């Protein structure tokens, strides 16, 4: 038997996952554009990786 409620829930989750992936892709595209248009000597590029930041003890 087909569970239509479960099917609708799965579809909504898939849509949310696609939207999250599209948003992440846009972030990456913006970062790539910024890196491609760096004018050396005029600005500095700073990278921050949240996973490696140390919290104050």
């Amino acid at each position: 038997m087909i569970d239509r409620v479960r099917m609708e829930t799965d579809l909504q989750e898939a849509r949310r996952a696609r939207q999250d992936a599209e948003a992440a892709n846009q972030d990456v595209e913006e970062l790539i554009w910024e890196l491609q248009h760096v004018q050396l000597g005029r600005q500095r590029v700073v990278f921050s990786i949240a996973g490696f930041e140390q919290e104050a003890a």
Side-chain angles (χ1 to χ4, degrees), residues 3-57:
D3 184 355
R4 294 192 185 277
V5 173
R6 180 65 187 168
M7 239 171 50
E8 181 63 30
T9 302
D10 290 346
L11 183 59
Q12 289 174 356
E13 289 175 6
R15 284 180 179 145
R16 267 194 301 272
R18 187 202 70 220
Q19 291 170 341
D20 290 345
E22 288 174 350
N25 182 55
Q26 182 64 30
D27 291 343
V28 169
E29 290 292 329
E30 289 175 8
L31 178 60
I32 290 170
W33 187 92
E34 289 175 11
L35 290 173
Q36 289 175 336
H37 294 88
V38 169
Q39 295 178 357
L40 297 177
R42 293 180 176 240
Q43 61 196 51
R44 306 254 186 245
V45 178
V46 177
F47 292 96
S48 173
I49 301 174
F52 294 106
E53 292 177 358
Q54 296 181 2
E55 296 181 19

